[in-house]
Amino acid sequence: MTFAMRPFISAAFVAFVASGLTATELNWPQFRGPRGDGSSPAKDVPAIWSETNNIVWKVSTPGRGRSSPVVLGDHLWLTLAVEKGTRRERIGPDDMQTTEHITLEAVCLDRADGKILWRTKLFEVEKPDPVHWFNSWATPTPVVEPGRLYCDFGTYGTAGLDAKTGKILWKTRLPLDHQVGPGSSPVVYENLLVLVRDGRDAQYVTALDKHSGKEIWKTERPPINASPNARKSFVTPLLVSTGGRTQLISPGPHWVVSYEPSTGKEIWRARHGNGFSIGSCPVFGDGKAFFSTGCMKPELWAIRADGEGDVTTTHAVWRSTKQVPVMSSPVLLGDELYWISDDGIANCADIDSGEVHWQERMNQQHLASPLLVEGRICLFGMSGKTTVIKAGNQFEKLAENFLEGNVVATPAIVDGTIFLRTDSHLYRIGRE
């Protein structure tokens, strides 16, 4: 960090502490931020930017990946795949990509200027399984905490690193047939690294000792009577505290399940139908979990989280079929829930009834998840256009911002800054 940046960071830190936020909330340590729900407590975040406006720095990334950046203090981290001989091709009904060889890496960058501080090769894979064109071989987002970085690449391996030096502390592998590549990101709970494995060949949730990588518990998913392709999913679970206990809410193929994160014991489950291949992650508010059911006809469900056992017929509050996403995740503010379909239809609905207040077309695909900051919703289109709207039950567009390249990775927002990743570059967006 340069000397000129120190007063700005210090003043921001003091302001956050004065607001009562925790150290975790000052950073972006995991997929979808400190709360895992796409909301950021950051202040003074630009609503307007372009290639020539409000760009603090732009750096090329040494490989490709669609994981989000994670941020802690003066540093940020990415995972990526260095590919050799990649081709796009049709495999059965799917638009896929194949490659001859991948090197899976973790990279640490200086937050002030974007310079790479270290690169660590974690796994070398010859002729890896194909992944979908919308996916990558480095899609799960890592988790960072003081002193440690945890990187997961699905079937290709999981590793714990020294966050400062990049030294590998442990590695393990939990093989899985993803069919279209890995997607679910890990979460940390106390001394555990929790992983969801919903593949064609196996479906379970497991927790590793975050210090050693050794398995602590493993819980099989509820039974699924479906073809192998309809058993896969890619959801990152959500940790919530409600009713005096902590729950790990994890939608998956056909079922949504809540677990005790310390033991893996199932608390409640609900059958949401035959949905699968879910990329959208849940949010939680007013005692209810909100989640998408994925392919083939996605629905958005609201379900009360105060039950036990099978609560399918007792705790489901409402369902919506209004332009529900398979890939991107909703955000929640007050009494309103916001989401955008994969083909770019933005929605706002009442959290109690599911009644849709408004729908608006954004005119591009949206695979990255929306983010909420300072009463604004940022909708990140795949072609590089971000639409910023005002949160509320009346649609109000605040800005349209354009950058070069494809945007599939969900950005990170901390300390007046948006860190946005394209397939080739990482941007730091902030007031100049």
Side-chain angles (χ1 to χ4, degrees), residues 247-323:
Q247 300 186 33
L248 181 83
I249 299 177
S250 183
H254 300 207
W255 294 88
V256 57
V257 186
S258 171
Y259 304 92
E260 288 183 355
S262 58
T263 65
K265 179 182 177 182
E266 185 178 298
I267 300 172
W268 56 262
R269 67 168 73 175
R271 176 70 187 262
H272 59 68
N274 297 321
F276 65 98
S277 205
I278 313 165
S280 178
C281 302
V283 293
F284 181 83
D286 192 34
K288 298 185 284 289
F290 304 88
F291 65 95
S292 168
T293 63
C295 297
M296 295 292 289
K297 297 180 180 179
E299 298 179 345
L300 189 69
W301 276 50
I303 189 164
R304 295 201 327 270
D306 59 353
E308 294 186 357
D310 190 331
V311 300
T312 306
T313 60
T314 58
H315 283 61
V317 180
W318 54 261
R319 296 184 291 177
S320 177
T321 59
K322 302 290 187 180
Q323 300 294 332

Side-chain angles (χ1 to χ4, degrees), residues 180-229:
V180 290
S184 174
S185 300
V187 298
V188 165
Y189 176 74
E190 295 181 345
N191 67 322
L192 302 176
L193 183 71
V194 181
L195 304 171
V196 174
R197 291 291 192 260
D198 286 328
R200 291 198 295 188
D201 54 343
Q203 303 84 40
Y204 61 91
V205 182
T206 187
L208 310 181
D209 184 311
K210 69 181 185 181
H211 302 294
S212 67
K214 303 297 183 182
E215 183 180 285
I216 301 299
W217 59 256
K218 178 180 178 181
T219 303
E220 299 291 333
R221 292 293 222 170
I224 300 172
N225 182 18
S227 66
N229 278 2

Side-chain angles (χ1 to χ4, degrees), residues 3-281:
F3 179 81
M5 289 294 292
R6 289 187 185 275
F8 174 79
I9 297 296
S10 177
F13 181 82
V14 171
F16 277 127
V17 171
S19 70
L21 297 173
T22 67
T24 298
E25 290 174 316
L26 296 173
N27 298 288
W28 197 269
Q30 63 182 350
F31 183 57
R32 304 200 74 214
R35 304 179 186 117
D37 62 2
S39 66
S40 172
K43 303 296 183 183
D44 198 34
V45 177
I48 297 173
W49 63 84
S50 70
E51 290 286 343
T52 58
N53 182 29
N54 282 334
I55 302 298
V56 179
W57 48 255
K58 174 185 178 181
V59 297
S60 61
T61 51
R64 195 167 65 92
R66 287 174 169 171
S67 58
S68 300
V70 292
V71 185
L72 182 65
D74 295 340
H75 302 133
L76 63 127
W77 295 261
L78 293 174
T79 56
L80 53 87
V82 178
E83 305 166 9
K84 178 182 178 181
T86 301
R87 296 192 307 164
R88 182 176 183 175
E89 57 183 282
R90 178 69 60 174
I91 300 177
D94 296 313
D95 186 6
M96 303 286 281
Q97 50 190 320
T98 61
T99 194
E100 298 172 9
H101 179 274
I102 53 172
T103 303
L104 299 171
E105 301 186 12
V107 180
C108 178
L109 297 89
D110 190 292
R111 176 171 158 177
D113 55 21
K115 291 182 179 179
I116 292 177
L117 301 177
W118 55 255
R119 286 176 64 178
T120 298
K121 295 180 180 180
L122 300 176
F123 303 98
E124 299 271 358
V125 187
E126 293 286 344
K127 298 188 181 303
D129 295 337
V131 301
H132 197 278
W133 187 250
F134 286 158
N135 203 359
S136 75
W137 286 278
T139 291
T141 295
V143 181
V144 67
E145 62 180 4
R148 295 291 182 266
L149 178 73
Y150 309 100
C151 301
D152 183 52
F153 299 91
T155 190
Y156 304 114
T158 309
L161 292 81
D162 184 300
K164 184 177 180 179
T165 66
K167 178 184 176 182
I168 298 171
L169 303 176
W170 56 263
K171 293 200 295 185
T172 191
R173 186 172 176 229
L174 304 174
L176 196 73
D177 181 1
H178 298 290
Q179 198 259 329
V180 290
S184 174
S185 300
V187 298
V188 165
Y189 176 74
E190 295 181 345
N191 67 322
L192 302 176
L193 183 71
V194 181
L195 304 171
V196 174
R197 291 291 192 260
D198 286 328
R200 291 198 295 188
D201 54 343
Q203 303 84 40
Y204 61 91
V205 182
T206 187
L208 310 181
D209 184 311
K210 69 181 185 181
H211 302 294
S212 67
K214 303 297 183 182
E215 183 180 285
I216 301 299
W217 59 256
K218 178 180 178 181
T219 303
E220 299 291 333
R221 292 293 222 170
I224 300 172
N225 182 18
S227 66
N229 278 2
R231 299 182 183 194
K232 65 182 185 293
S233 196
F234 311 95
V235 179
T236 301
L238 180 68
L239 286 163
V240 303
S241 294
T242 181
R245 63 183 175 184
T246 301
Q247 300 186 33
L248 181 83
I249 299 177
S250 183
H254 300 207
W255 294 88
V256 57
V257 186
S258 171
Y259 304 92
E260 288 183 355
S262 58
T263 65
K265 179 182 177 182
E266 185 178 298
I267 300 172
W268 56 262
R269 67 168 73 175
R271 176 70 187 262
H272 59 68
N274 297 321
F276 65 98
S277 205
I278 313 165
S280 178
C281 302

